[in-house]
């Protein structure tokens, strides 16, 4: 019996353990931290051997295959030891994909991948397709392959998940954009991160499709210099395309063999340039899945959006509070600031992943009246923006940040939480940060 070791007892780890046991592996799960109660119950019910708050190397190094959680870097000594012993170390996505014949739509990018994943899933469900949504969000892909056997999967894929693939290939890959992110995991080399994102297409054939942002120079330059086998399907809001999706005036035009107007951009439920692009990528994927044009347009005009992504929380005395906690990098914060059309008090900060804030300076000068720092180390933010805004105040918690921002704002202004940083200095996750922000707003 082959031995599968699962490193990490979260959603992807427990899903992989269940699938592994179902497929006849001897399974051992190990987590260096504490395993959440809900996952422990599942492991006990499924009679899967596990340990927490330690890694027993004697039980791990004799594995035939190891699935590691995307949060564990390759540089960790345990992973190095496994690689030295030529033990295969893969991601949940790689492991699960071997046990399904479903059509897979894989979505990656620095920003917009969650919204696009949810949007594609929404459109396909509205069209009556049997769809599972997973990957970096929701229920694990492996758990769904074990228990649900959907005919189609829409998967949000992080660069860390793509780092652990060997044969995995989506029939349709979507690359929303590439901007510097997670550089701390990629030796502070942007090229390493780009290469990681492009792994989504490395196993695709000429029968598969790569949908990508034709306005993104990083992506288009990489495509020119690399041999991509998949059929290329760009989208653009800046130029008309021979094939793909583009804007003509306010109309979203889809052109594969023939040209057709999909809808007017003003009819989209989610507004902002980035959401027009998310809708374009979605509509192309849906079209390739044989969804009717009318269904695509109707679904795009009634989709409600994703929690913690430019989420209107509420107005307090004429001041609008917006939760964009999911903006964990500079480019995401750029999109958020670009959407602001009234004076804005910007709450920013957290764990810096090698950020360069200079791209934000023109938007901050134009739109931001005050900055509230929400993080333990705000030095770079202070150095970049200290002389640009009238007020810059440091805070050490969501409640304090909200109270300070409320005092700095006037009726008609917006208070925007768009941190441009990871959350792990003060919060468990970006969801925890967003939830605490919303609780603080409702407590005003």
């Amino acid at each position: 019996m082959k031995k599968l070791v699962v490193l990490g007892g979260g959603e992807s780890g427990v899903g992989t353990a269940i699938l592994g046991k179902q497929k006849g592996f001897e399974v051992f799960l190990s987590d260096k931290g504490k395993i959440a109660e809900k996952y422990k119950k599942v492991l006990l019910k499924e009679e899967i051997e596990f340990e927490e708050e330690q890694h027993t190397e004697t039980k791990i190094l004799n594995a035939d295959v190891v699935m590691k959680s995307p949060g564990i870097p390759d540089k960790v000594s345990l992973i190095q030891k496994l690689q030295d012993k030529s033990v295969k170390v893969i991601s949940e996505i790689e492991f699960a994909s071997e046990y399904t014949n479903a059509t897979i739509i894989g979505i990656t990018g620095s920003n917009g991948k969650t919204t696009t994943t949810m949007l594609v899933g929404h459109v396909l469900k509205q069209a009556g397709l049997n769809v599972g949504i997973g990957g970096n969000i929701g229920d694990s892909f492996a758990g769904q392959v074990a228990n649900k056997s959907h005919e189609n999967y829409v998967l949000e894929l992080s660069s860390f998940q793509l780092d652990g693939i060997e044969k995995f290939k989506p029939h349709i890959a979507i690359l929303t954009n590439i901007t510097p992110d997670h550089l701390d995991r990629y030796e502070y080399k942007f090229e390493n991160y780009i290469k990681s994102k492009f792994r989504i297409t490395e196993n695709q054939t000429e029968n598969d499709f790569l949908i990508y942002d034709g306005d993104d120079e990083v992506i288009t330059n990489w495509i020119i210099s690399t041999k991509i086998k998949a059929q290329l399907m760009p989208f653009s809001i800046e130029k008309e395309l021979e094939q793909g999706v583009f804007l003509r005036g306010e109309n979203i035009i889809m052109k594969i063999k023939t040209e057709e107007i999909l809808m007017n951009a003003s009819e989209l439920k989610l507004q902002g340039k980035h959401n027009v692009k998310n809708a374009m990528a979605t509509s192309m994927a849906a079209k390739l899945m044989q969804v009717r044009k009318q269904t695509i347009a109707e679904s795009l005009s009634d989709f409600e959006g994703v929690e913690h992504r430019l989420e209107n929380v509420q107005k307090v005395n004429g001041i609008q509070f917006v939760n964009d906690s999911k903006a964990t990098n500079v480019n995401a914060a750029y999109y958020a600031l670009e959407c602001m059309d009234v004076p804005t008090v910007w709450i920013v900060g957290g764990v810096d992943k090698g950020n360069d804030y200079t791209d934000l300076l023109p938007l901050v000068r134009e739109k931001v009246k005050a900055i509230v720092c929400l993080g333990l180390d705000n030095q770079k933010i202070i150095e970049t923006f200290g002389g640009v805004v009238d007020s810059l105040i440091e805070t050490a918690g969501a409640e304090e940040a909200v109270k300070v921002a409320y005092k700095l704002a006037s009726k008609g202004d917006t208070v925007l939480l768009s941190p441009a940083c990871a959350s792990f200095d003060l919060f468990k996750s970006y969801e925890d940060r967003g939830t605490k922000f919303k609780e603080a707003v409702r407590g005003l």
Side-chain angles (χ1 to χ4, degrees), residues 168-354:
F168 170 79
K169 81 172 182 78
H171 175 50
I172 298 171
I174 299 177
L175 193 41
T176 57
N177 49 55
I178 302 182
T179 58
D181 195 9
H182 300 297
L183 296 189
D184 47 344
R185 276 278 286 263
Y186 292 100
E187 296 168 2
Y188 293 93
K189 289 179 185 163
F190 188 29
E191 188 178 327
N192 293 353
Y193 175 65
I194 300 168
K195 205 178 283 183
S196 181
K197 286 295 187 192
F198 266 91
R199 293 196 70 172
I200 196 167
T201 188
E202 72 179 14
N203 298 317
Q204 286 189 301
T205 69
E206 50 279 356
N207 298 320
D208 301 315
F209 300 92
L210 174 62
I211 298 169
Y212 65 95
D213 185 348
D215 302 329
D216 188 316
E217 284 185 18
V218 173
I219 295 177
T220 52
N221 289 341
W222 196 273
I223 285 172
I224 290 164
S225 64
T226 318
K227 186 158 173 42
I228 307 276
K229 288 184 188 155
Q231 296 178 54
L232 298 175
M233 296 286 176
F235 56 88
S236 170
I237 62 171
E238 292 174 8
K239 54 187 176 278
E240 294 205 2
L241 303 167
E242 285 178 29
Q243 174 169 273
V245 188
F246 56 88
L247 277 182
R248 184 179 291 146
E250 278 287 291
N251 286 328
I252 297 175
I253 308 288
M254 199 185 303
K255 194 172 176 183
I256 297 182
K257 285 174 184 156
T258 57
E259 186 181 296
E260 54 188 335
I261 297 173
L262 177 67
M263 66 192 298
N264 192 291
S266 64
E267 293 165 17
L268 291 171
K269 183 82 172 183
L270 302 181
Q271 288 296 303
K273 284 181 192 170
H274 58 295
N275 280 320
V276 173
K277 289 191 169 190
N278 295 339
M280 285 175 159
T282 297
S283 56
M284 176 58 78
K287 184 75 175 168
L288 294 171
M289 294 292 287
Q290 314 297 319
V291 177
R292 286 166 60 239
K293 185 180 92 167
Q294 189 183 347
T295 305
I296 299 172
E298 285 171 2
S299 304
L300 293 176
S301 63
D302 68 11
F303 178 72
E304 286 296 342
V306 178
E307 192 181 12
H308 309 299
R309 193 76 186 95
L310 283 169
E311 176 191 8
N312 285 326
V313 181
Q314 70 181 55
K315 268 191 178 173
V316 183
N317 291 329
I319 299 163
Q320 178 68 58
F321 286 81
V322 176
N323 168 27
D324 193 42
S325 182
K326 199 170 189 311
T328 58
N329 58 42
V330 169
N331 198 45
Y334 185 98
Y335 285 143
L337 288 168
E338 195 178 46
C339 289
M340 296 299 112
D341 51 13
V342 296
T344 300
V345 177
W346 179 30
I347 302 177
V348 57
V351 180
D352 187 311
K353 298 179 284 185

Side-chain angles (χ1 to χ4, degrees), residues 10-239:
E11 181 65 35
S12 64
V14 172
T16 302
I18 290 167
L19 180 61
K21 187 182 177 200
Q22 193 187 85
K23 298 301 173 188
F25 285 85
E26 179 195 335
V27 181
F28 176 62
L29 183 145
S30 175
D31 196 312
K32 206 165 186 183
K34 269 188 95 61
I35 298 173
E37 209 52 48
K38 68 171 181 173
Y39 293 127
K40 226 184 281 191
K41 279 181 186 163
V42 173
L43 293 167
L44 291 166
K45 180 172 169 276
E46 297 286 337
E47 297 179 347
I48 291 165
E49 189 189 351
F50 69 92
E51 65 177 358
E52 58 182 335
E53 299 184 88
Q54 62 179 344
H55 284 320
T56 306
E57 292 194 0
T58 50
K59 288 187 166 189
I60 293 167
L61 295 175
N62 63 355
D64 293 294
V65 60
V66 171
M67 192 298 287
K68 79 171 176 71
S69 156
I72 302 170
D74 289 337
K75 294 188 183 75
V76 172
S77 67
L78 180 59
I79 304 301
Q80 296 286 322
K81 286 176 187 173
L82 285 162
Q83 287 169 344
D84 290 344
K85 290 193 72 179
S86 299
V87 176
K88 194 156 83 160
V89 180
I90 58 173
S91 68
E92 174 222 353
I93 300 302
E94 176 70 19
F95 184 78
S97 65
E98 293 205 23
Y99 299 103
T100 178
N101 294 318
T103 299
I104 294 173
I105 299 174
I107 299 163
T108 196
S110 303
N111 297 296
K113 55 185 180 291
T114 302
T115 300
T116 305
T117 302
M118 300 299 286
L119 204 43
V120 173
H122 173 67
V123 174
L124 298 188
K125 282 180 179 176
Q126 295 294 97
L129 276 68
N130 175 351
V131 183
I133 300 170
N136 209 27
I137 53 171
D139 297 333
S140 71
F141 177 37
Q144 291 185 68
V145 169
N147 299 319
K148 302 264 178 66
S149 61
H150 292 292
E151 291 165 17
N152 306 280
Y153 286 99
V154 183
L155 303 178
E156 178 188 324
L157 303 171
S158 69
S159 55
F160 304 157
Q161 287 168 313
L162 291 168
D163 287 337
I165 67 165
E166 289 178 359
K167 297 178 191 164
F168 170 79
K169 81 172 182 78
H171 175 50
I172 298 171
I174 299 177
L175 193 41
T176 57
N177 49 55
I178 302 182
T179 58
D181 195 9
H182 300 297
L183 296 189
D184 47 344
R185 276 278 286 263
Y186 292 100
E187 296 168 2
Y188 293 93
K189 289 179 185 163
F190 188 29
E191 188 178 327
N192 293 353
Y193 175 65
I194 300 168
K195 205 178 283 183
S196 181
K197 286 295 187 192
F198 266 91
R199 293 196 70 172
I200 196 167
T201 188
E202 72 179 14
N203 298 317
Q204 286 189 301
T205 69
E206 50 279 356
N207 298 320
D208 301 315
F209 300 92
L210 174 62
I211 298 169
Y212 65 95
D213 185 348
D215 302 329
D216 188 316
E217 284 185 18
V218 173
I219 295 177
T220 52
N221 289 341
W222 196 273
I223 285 172
I224 290 164
S225 64
T226 318
K227 186 158 173 42
I228 307 276
K229 288 184 188 155
Q231 296 178 54
L232 298 175
M233 296 286 176
F235 56 88
S236 170
I237 62 171
E238 292 174 8
K239 54 187 176 278

